[in-house]
């Protein structure tokens, strides 16, 4: 079998359709129907990706995602019927890696699953320690330190910082950042990148914040 998928979806017809399509593509699928059960299974078993509906009984998907992030960095793809920007932001801030809105084509879902799996694989193969001046990232421990002080970041802020550090001295466009940090281009506006850059600068000490330079009309760079 291929990659292991935990599917947390309470609508039986949708769950059955997704499960059959994923099995056809050689994924191994474990399906549960509530948020609480999904959280327990994620704690006790190993998966390559979690497909998580937002509207779930007992515990909603965003809260499940937030709790999963307390013990695992498994890629999480949120599934929702709601297309509001606030839901997308809440999901990403909770640590989701991607977001897909019902109704969706199965081809799009498969593409997004492959995208988060690919990014996860790349992250697992990169150096465990990244350093840029006084910013140190331990990708195994998933920690960020500046001048020996721990800095708490959301999953998206962390991924953004890691990507910029990996691309140091190279100016990267907002589109490239979207593609490599969020994994898709069409669903969100490029100004979301600017919002998260501001979040990241606000959380880093002022000295470190100056390291993320804005190149007007192009994008951002961490320049030595």
């Amino acid at each position: 079998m291929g990659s292991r998928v935990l599917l947390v979806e309470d609508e039986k017809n949708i769950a059955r359709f997704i499960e059959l399509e994923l099995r056809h593509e050689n994924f191994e699928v474990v399906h549960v129907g509530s948020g609480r059960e999904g959280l327990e299974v994620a704690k006790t078993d190993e998966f390559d990706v979690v497909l998580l509906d937002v509207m779930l009984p007992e515990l909603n998907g965003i809260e499940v995602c937030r709790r999963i992030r307390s013990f695992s960095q498994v890629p999480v793809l949120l599934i929702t019927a709601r297309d509001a920007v606030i839901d997308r932001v809440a999901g990403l801030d909770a640590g989701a890696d991607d977001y897909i809105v019902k109704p969706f084509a199965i081809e799009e879902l498969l593409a997004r699953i492959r995208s988060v799996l690919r990014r996860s694989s790349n992250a697992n193969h990169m150096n465990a320690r990244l350093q840029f001046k006084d910013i140190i990232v331990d990708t195994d421990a998933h920690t960020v330190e500046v001048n020996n002080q721990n800095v708490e970041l959301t999953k998206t802020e962390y991924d953004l910082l890691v990507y910029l550090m990996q691309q140091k001295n190279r100016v990267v466009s907002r589109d490239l950042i979207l593609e490599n940090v969020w994994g898709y281009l069409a669903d969100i506006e490029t100004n979301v990148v600017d919002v998260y850059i501001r979040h990241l600068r606000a959380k880093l000490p002022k000295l470190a914040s100056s390291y993320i330079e804005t190149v007007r009309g192009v994008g951002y760079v961490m320049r030595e």
Side-chain angles (χ1 to χ4, degrees):
M1 296 292 286
S3 300
R4 299 195 76 220
V5 178
L6 172 60
L7 173 60
V8 189
E9 170 61 70
D10 63 319
E11 296 186 42
K12 292 182 180 180
N13 289 339
I14 293 176
R16 183 60 176 161
F17 168 69
I18 294 174
E19 188 173 355
L20 287 173
E21 292 290 343
L22 291 182
R23 290 187 186 280
H24 181 71
E25 295 293 325
N26 206 38
F27 288 95
E28 181 181 351
V29 183
V30 174
H31 170 238
V32 296
S34 76
R36 196 167 300 281
E37 188 178 5
L39 182 62
E40 289 306 312
V41 173
K43 283 180 178 178
T44 58
D45 207 345
E46 294 289 328
F47 295 94
D48 298 297
V49 63
V50 177
L51 301 185
L52 184 59
D53 191 31
V54 169
M55 301 298 290
L56 290 168
E58 299 181 18
L59 211 59
N60 72 60
I62 291 174
E63 181 59 28
V64 173
C65 181
R66 184 176 290 110
R67 296 191 190 188
I68 285 175
R69 280 290 168 262
S70 70
F71 61 83
S72 173
Q73 292 304 315
V74 62
V76 174
L77 174 60
L78 287 180
I79 303 172
T80 181
R82 296 185 297 178
D83 195 14
V85 172
I86 191 170
D87 294 327
R88 296 179 189 174
V89 173
L92 293 170
D93 279 346
D97 295 86
D98 205 345
Y99 203 101
I100 191 167
V101 178
K102 299 175 186 175
F104 51 81
I106 193 64
E107 291 82 7
E108 182 186 8
L109 178 62
L110 290 169
R112 289 175 183 271
I113 291 173
R114 293 188 183 106
S115 176
V116 297
L117 286 173
R118 186 166 57 249
R119 281 183 285 143
S120 176
S121 176
N122 290 342
N124 289 338
H125 286 91
M126 69 182 182
N127 291 334
R129 179 186 168 99
L130 294 172
Q131 183 163 3
F132 183 87
K133 298 187 177 180
D134 54 356
I135 304 174
I136 298 174
V137 176
D138 186 329
T139 59
D140 283 344
H142 215 263
T143 58
V144 177
E145 289 187 357
V146 180
N147 290 326
N148 297 317
Q149 297 295 314
N150 189 56
V151 179
E152 294 291 336
L153 300 178
T154 68
K155 174 70 163 54
T156 303
E157 291 162 355
Y158 172 87
D159 290 344
L160 176 58
L161 177 62
V162 168
Y163 178 67
L164 290 173
M165 290 177 70
Q166 289 173 325
Q167 305 298 317
K168 66 181 178 181
N169 298 320
R170 176 189 177 200
V171 179
V172 287
S173 68
R174 291 166 178 80
D175 284 340
L176 268 177
I177 293 171
L178 279 179
E179 184 176 0
N180 286 278
V181 176
W182 279 267
Y184 54 92
L185 296 174
D187 278 8
I188 56 178
E189 300 295 329
T190 54
N191 61 6
V192 170
V193 174
D194 302 327
V195 171
Y196 273 88
I197 290 287
R198 287 200 298 271
H199 289 174
L200 187 54
R201 282 172 169 163
K203 288 189 177 181
L204 291 171
K206 289 184 178 180
L207 180 62
S209 299
S210 65
Y211 295 159
I212 305 175
E213 298 179 25
T214 302
V215 180
R216 197 172 297 278
V218 183
Y220 296 95
V221 60
M222 295 184 78
R223 202 191 311 272
E224 286 187 311

